Amino acid sequence: MERLVKFEVLGQEYPLYTDAPEEDIEEILHLVKMQIENNSRSSRRALPANKVAVLTSLNMAGKYVRLKRDFEQYKQQMSELVERLTAGIENSLPSDRDTQTDVREIPANKSESRLAQND
């Protein structure tokens, strides 16, 4: 259920409607506030809040793009590893030909076994 969450950044209050869990909202707001504070402190001169927000957005988007690329590389590496492991397992198992037995060689019951011995 969507609810109103109010938060303050750089002295301004913002309303946000969300259905995200409370702990997610707290983590997101903490991350945003920390990034904004870092960007506003790292500037040599005081920047307006809107510029700090834009710089923070760009920094966070850059981190997101790097993480997304890293995750795609990780998925590709794991996919290749799964393929190699699967091939290794399949190659180590006996082939169907090695495990097949000629049905004529196994007697179906004891009477057939006795008949085969009498021949």
Side-chain angles (χ1 to χ4, degrees):
M1 186 164 102
E2 215 171 64
R3 67 191 186 290
L4 175 64
V5 175
K6 293 181 181 181
F7 63 97
E8 188 176 312
V9 175
L10 296 176
Q12 293 185 328
E13 189 174 278
Y14 298 91
L16 170 69
Y17 285 93
T18 182
D19 60 355
E22 186 65 31
E23 80 178 28
D24 288 0
I25 294 298
E26 288 176 15
E27 187 173 355
I28 290 166
L29 292 177
H30 177 74
L31 177 64
V32 168
K33 286 178 183 181
M34 294 300 291
Q35 292 294 315
I36 286 176
E37 288 173 11
N38 288 341
N39 285 329
S40 65
R41 275 191 240 132
S42 65
S43 176
R44 292 184 182 158
R45 57 184 172 30
L47 292 175
N50 63 340
K51 288 189 178 185
V52 171
V54 169
L55 289 174
T56 300
S57 297
L58 290 171
N59 288 336
M60 293 177 84
K63 289 178 182 180
Y64 170 79
V65 168
R66 282 190 301 278
L67 285 170
K68 184 178 169 186
R69 183 187 60 238
D70 291 349
F71 182 64
E72 289 302 320
Q73 289 174 348
Y74 172 78
K75 286 190 331 186
Q76 180 64 34
Q77 290 170 345
M78 291 301 104
S79 178
E80 291 169 3
L81 177 60
V82 166
E83 286 178 24
R84 286 195 314 268
L85 290 171
T86 301
I89 291 169
E90 288 174 351
N91 290 336
S92 69
L93 295 174
S95 68
D96 286 343
R97 197 171 348 128
D98 295 342
T99 59
Q100 288 180 348
T101 306
D102 190 352
V103 176
R104 292 172 292 177
E105 295 176 14
I106 301 174
N109 57 41
K110 289 182 181 180
S111 61
E112 285 183 21
S113 176
R114 284 187 213 122
L115 287 175
Q117 290 173 355
N118 292 336
D119 287 342

